[in-house]
């Protein structure tokens, strides 16, 4: 069976499904193909990709549940609330997480129908060129289906990076998928990798009672963050009970007769160590899913690391073939993939879609949260850009005091000459909800004074953004 489709989006993850919906809104006929391994209760491939199925959404559900439990155990007494005998029903927590994922996946399929997107479940393989575009085979349990697509959008996402000598079984040795589906709290958990995934998953199980040890090859926490933020977060997470081992090169994994694991590593001085644990989480990054797609049949250029080579508009080396999301350069973030999907479809439709890669926020959903957008202080120094810094602590914020959590600060970086906002960095309970103001400021080239002169509701946490911006110029009002 052969169908003619103007566009064929390979992948129904964050980038692919949003690209498909935007195409439908623009009146374009589009097919979206998905064969992810995260089946729904009926065993069918499910849209949403890593983010919805085993990433952003389920991890936030578990982070919320575990934070509620820790608040009841440790923090509500300060509010005069006494609770005795609280316990965590882990299977119920996991069931809640699964229900959220299912509901959102069903929502995507509804949006496909609403926007007349043809949703195809199966594995897509590019067969080559056709007179009127490109031929794509969709393979499933039944007969192979063929599409002829005028344009292709590669949105196949990423997979967890494997660590040689450490085999993931998602029972005792887990990647992000397995760590989100444990049915009981391990007594001891070791995590390889102190990045976003490792810190978030470690936070979930530490709050529920696990002893968490994080083994990291680099000499510091969160090297992509502003140095002040990374230093403060190390202090806060260590105080919460997470044990960090930096400069650690993993050398192997052993299983004891009692079923426990022994993670062996060598420190920066060459001294051998071992971490005993009941569950091990491998969180050493992700790699693009670009193999076995048939890209070579078209001559699509890829990098030595497997990423599809694209320009600023996500066009590949082959006319009519685009790539977005985790398979291309830039941060592996769902909202970045979404923005690229919208841009590609708008440009195909003759509009001026664009993505400002300087204004893409990043968030770590630990407690407190970390959020940032734009440049870090070290990046500005390396680039030789003269800048000024404003900083305001939440210890001087009335809403933070009322909430009982004054950890963290807001730090704003502005150009020394123009006062244009170049970056913003937040540690706070609701940093994820506050970073939007700084993102908008960078997108519209606002100055720090602009933020400082905008009325901010009182008392709110985001007043700290205004105060940090004022600190760059005339000075903070409440410090």
């Amino acid at each position: 069976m052969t169908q003619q489709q103007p566009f064929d989006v390979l992948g129904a993850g964050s980038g692919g499904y949003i690209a498909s919906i935007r195409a439908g809104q623009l009146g374009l006929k589009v097919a979206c193909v998905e064969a992810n391994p995260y089946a729904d209760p009926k065993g069918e491939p499910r849209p949403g990709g890593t983010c919805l199925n085993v990433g952003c959404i389920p991890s936030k559900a578990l982070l919320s549940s575990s934070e509620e439990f820790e608040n009841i155990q440790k923090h509500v007494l300060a509010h005069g609330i006494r609770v005795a005998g609280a316990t965590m029903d882990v299977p119920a927590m996991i069931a809640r997480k699964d229900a959220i994922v299912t509901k959102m996946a069903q929502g995507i399929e509804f949006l496909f129908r609403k926007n007349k997107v043809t949703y195809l479940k199966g594995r897509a393989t590019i067969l080559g060129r056709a007179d009127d575009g490109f031929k794509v085979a969709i393979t499933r349990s039944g007969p192979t289906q063929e599409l002829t697509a005028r344009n292709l959008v590669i949105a196949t996402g990423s997979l967890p990076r494997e660590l040689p000598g450490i085999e993931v079984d998602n029972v005792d040795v887990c990647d992000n998928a397995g760590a989100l589906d444990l049915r009981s709290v391990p007594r001891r958990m070791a995590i390889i990798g102190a990045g976003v995934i490792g810190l978030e998953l470690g936070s979930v199980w530490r709050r529920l009672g696990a002893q968490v040890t994080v083994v990291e090859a680099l000499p510091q926490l969160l090297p992509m963050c502003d140095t002040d933020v990374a230093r403060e977060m190390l202090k806060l997470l260590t105080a919460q009970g997470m044990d960090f081992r930096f400069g650690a090169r993993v050398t192997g994994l052993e299983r004891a007769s009692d079923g426990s694991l022994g993670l062996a590593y060598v420190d920066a001085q060459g001294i051998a160590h071992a971490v005993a644990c009941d569950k091990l989480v491998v969180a050493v990054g992700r790699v693009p899913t670009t193999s076995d797609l048939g890209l070579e049949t078209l001559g699509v250029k890829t990098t030595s690391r497997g990423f599809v080579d694209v320009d600023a508009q996500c066009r590949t080396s082959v006319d009519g073939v685009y790539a977005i999301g985790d398979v291309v350069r830039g941060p592996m973030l769902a909202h970045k993939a979404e923005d690229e999907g919208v841009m590609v479809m708008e440009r195909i439709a003759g509009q001026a879609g664009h993505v400002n890669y300087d204004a893409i926020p990043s968030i770590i959903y630990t407690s407190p949260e970390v959020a940032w957008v734009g440049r870090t202080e070290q990046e500005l120094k390396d680039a030789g850009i003269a800048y000024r810094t404003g900083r305001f602590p939440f210890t001087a914020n009335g809403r933070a005091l009322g909430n009982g959590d004054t950890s963290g600060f807001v730090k704003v970086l502005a150009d020394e000459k123009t006062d244009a906002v170049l970056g913003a960095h937040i540690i706070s309970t609701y940093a994820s909800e506050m970073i939007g103001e700084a993102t908008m400021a960078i997108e519209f080239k606002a100055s720090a004074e602009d933020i400082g002169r905008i009325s901010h509701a009182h008392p709110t946490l985001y007043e700290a953004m205004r105060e940090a911006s004022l600190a760059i110029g005339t000075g903070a009002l409440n410090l």
Side-chain angles (χ1 to χ4, degrees):
M1 177 182 178
T2 302
Q3 292 181 344
Q4 173 66 36
Q5 296 284 352
F7 310 105
D8 186 8
V9 181
L10 307 185
S14 299
Y17 90 76
I18 288 294
S20 300
I21 290 170
R22 186 62 182 132
Q25 291 174 340
L26 293 167
L28 304 173
K29 191 176 181 182
V30 63
C32 187
V33 186
E34 180 59 75
N36 76 56
Y38 315 117
D40 68 12
K42 296 181 180 179
E44 295 288 323
R46 189 163 55 185
T50 295
C51 176
L52 174 55
N53 291 284
V54 291
C56 315
I57 301 304
S59 65
K60 302 314 162 282
L62 297 191
L63 282 160
S64 178
S65 296
S66 62
E67 188 168 2
E68 292 283 359
F69 181 65
E70 185 173 61
N71 284 339
I72 290 172
Q73 280 200 318
K74 298 182 179 180
H75 304 306
V76 296
L77 184 59
H79 295 270
I81 303 170
R82 299 183 183 276
V83 180
T87 60
M88 172 56 77
D89 184 339
V90 174
M93 177 183 73
I94 298 297
R96 173 182 178 272
K97 176 261 296 182
D98 291 342
I100 292 169
V101 171
T102 297
K103 182 177 181 179
M104 292 196 68
Q106 291 171 345
I108 294 173
E109 295 198 35
F110 164 76
L111 291 171
F112 281 160
R113 294 190 296 272
K114 176 183 176 182
N115 292 282
K116 297 180 173 58
V117 175
T118 301
Y119 177 43
L120 301 173
K121 300 175 182 180
R123 180 173 182 79
T125 305
I126 301 169
L127 300 178
R129 295 181 182 272
D131 293 338
D132 48 358
F134 309 98
K135 284 190 175 181
V136 180
I138 313 299
T139 306
R140 208 176 168 201
S141 55
T144 297
Q145 181 179 6
E146 287 189 9
L147 297 178
T148 301
R150 188 178 305 164
N151 295 276
L152 294 176
V153 180
I154 311 300
T156 46
S158 61
L159 292 169
R161 184 185 302 278
E162 297 179 354
L163 194 61
I166 308 292
E167 183 178 352
V168 171
D169 57 17
N170 276 333
V171 177
D172 297 318
V173 182
C174 302
D175 56 19
N176 55 291
L180 290 168
D181 208 38
L182 299 178
R183 302 294 157 152
S184 62
V185 180
R187 186 167 65 89
R188 301 165 300 179
M189 172 178 281
I191 299 174
I192 306 175
V196 176
I197 296 173
L199 294 183
E200 290 187 357
L201 293 175
S203 293
V204 169
W205 297 107
R206 180 204 60 76
R207 293 170 187 166
L208 299 181
Q211 176 187 327
V212 176
T213 302
V214 182
V215 177
E216 170 59 54
L218 295 175
Q220 67 182 71
L221 186 75
L222 302 173
M224 68 288 203
C225 286
D226 188 270
T227 300
D228 288 346
V229 169
R231 187 182 300 115
E232 182 70 9
M233 282 305 294
L234 177 59
K235 181 172 68 176
L236 292 170
L237 293 175
T238 300
Q240 291 174 10
M242 295 181 75
D243 180 11
F244 292 94
R245 314 284 179 89
F246 294 110
R249 179 174 58 85
V250 172
T251 56
L253 180 67
E254 296 183 356
R255 293 179 182 267
S257 57
D258 63 358
S260 64
L261 305 173
L263 179 65
Y265 71 91
V266 176
D267 65 21
Q269 288 72 44
I271 301 173
H273 302 267
V275 176
C277 59
D278 305 297
K279 299 289 182 182
L280 173 65
V281 178
V282 180
V284 291
R286 300 182 66 83
V287 294
T289 308
T290 53
S291 60
D292 300 325
L293 292 179
L295 295 176
E296 66 283 353
T297 65
L298 302 178
V300 175
K301 291 182 180 179
T302 57
T303 70
S304 59
R305 296 173 59 195
F307 291 94
V308 180
D309 194 14
V310 294
D311 65 9
Q313 283 75 49
C314 290
R315 295 175 295 195
T316 72
S317 58
V318 176
D319 288 343
V321 181
Y322 303 79
I324 63 175
D326 288 3
V327 299
V328 302
R329 75 286 178 270
M332 289 184 172
L333 298 172
H335 46 282
K336 175 254 195 185
E338 292 177 0
D339 291 348
E340 289 175 334
V342 170
M343 172 183 68
V344 164
M345 288 307 181
E346 290 181 346
R347 285 194 165 266
I348 288 173
Q351 299 183 7
H354 81 288
V355 175
N356 181 358
Y357 289 96
D358 291 328
I360 296 178
S362 296
I363 303 165
I364 305 174
Y365 294 86
T366 48
S367 183
E369 295 176 346
V370 179
W372 70 95
V373 66
R375 304 284 195 96
T376 65
E377 190 166 356
Q378 51 267 40
E379 286 174 341
L380 293 175
K381 288 179 180 178
D382 292 343
I385 298 173
Y387 65 94
R388 298 186 68 185
T389 304
R391 180 166 162 165
F392 190 83
F394 282 99
T395 52
N397 177 272
R399 183 66 186 277
L401 287 163
N403 289 345
D405 184 358
T406 59
S407 58
F409 56 83
V410 173
K411 178 178 179 180
V412 177
L413 305 168
D415 188 279
E416 186 175 71
K417 294 181 179 179
T418 68
D419 197 39
V421 177
L422 301 176
H425 309 269
I426 308 173
I427 300 176
S428 174
T429 308
Y430 298 108
S432 59
E433 305 299 334
M434 288 188 280
I435 197 62
E437 182 177 20
T439 303
M440 187 172 291
I442 292 175
E443 179 67 37
F444 291 104
K445 303 187 186 307
S447 67
E449 183 181 3
D450 289 332
I451 296 177
R453 289 189 175 275
I454 294 172
S455 180
H456 286 60
H458 174 78
T460 56
L461 294 175
Y462 89 121
E463 285 180 279
M465 180 67 70
R466 181 192 195 192
E467 294 282 6
S469 299
L470 286 171
I472 293 175
T474 57
L477 296 171
N478 287 283
L479 189 67

